[in-house]
Amino acid sequence: MTKQDRAVRTRRALIRSAAEQFEARGYVRASLAEISAGAGVSSGALHFHFANKAAVAEAVEHTAARALRRAAGQGRSGDGSALQRLVDVTHQVGRLLCADVVVRAGLRLNAEAVAGRVRDLRREWRECVHELLAEAERRGELAAGVPPHRSIAVVLAATTGIEVLARDDHGWLGRHSLTDLWHLLLPCMAAPHLAEALDPAGSGPRLVEPEPDVDVEPDAGVEPDAEVDADGPVGDASRADLALR
């Protein structure tokens, strides 16, 4: 394994461990000692990558933002009915939140406005909903008398509410919650000629494709205590992290 490979693996493990701590305890109560222990590395290895806890939180938010941006982008660029793509992308984001502690923690940190940062992780989602419903209106997919701005407000309120409720009960992220939501909304939103063709449960599985980590500098070197067994904490975190890369 090269020096850079070890640095990438350690950084991914630290981000995942930090996300687990931030989700469970919040930013203030999470400690760097617990984060480094969860990643299976020393505090020196943590500080090799991150100057302080705020920098770790920033990395968690950044990683979450990239995953959410990819999910929203897939909904915007797909084929077929704009309303069906909106349904599909809500299920996609729901699966992402259910599977990815980093995304969940990133949203929690963002809501807490940790360290005064101004990144808005929900902006991509708002823009995605806005664009898809505007497209649906242009294509005649919305029922008569349904103004897009009202539909946008309802969809955003409902999906954001599910995400907030899921902080205490991940069952809210299950497919049934979003399916029930669309069973109620689609008959009110969709044009009659389209309503029967739409699937509230989503038209098929669509996964966020993994992509390489781009946060590690090429000449990062070897951090203290970076080398750990591939079947230990870092190996597990690296494999799990593929879902969000």
Side-chain angles (χ1 to χ4, degrees), residues 23 33 48 76 100 107 109 125 158 163 180 203:
E23 183 189 36
F48 178 88
R76 288 171 169 150
D100 241 331
L107 285 168
L109 290 169
W125 178 240
E163 180 251 310
D180 289 345
S203 60

Side-chain angles (χ1 to χ4, degrees), residues 87 89 91 96 116 135 170 178-179 186 199 217 223:
V87 172
V89 77
H91 282 287
L96 185 63
E135 180 183 345
H170 291 174
L178 288 167
T179 300
L186 287 175
D199 185 355
E217 296 181 1
E223 70 275 25

Side-chain angles (χ1 to χ4, degrees), residues 82-92 132 178 182 186 198-203:
L83 275 181
Q84 185 64 64
R85 279 185 279 133
L86 178 58
V87 172
D88 292 348
V89 77
T90 60
H91 282 287
Q92 165 106 346
L132 286 172
L178 288 167
W182 287 114
L186 287 175
L198 298 174
D199 185 355
S203 60

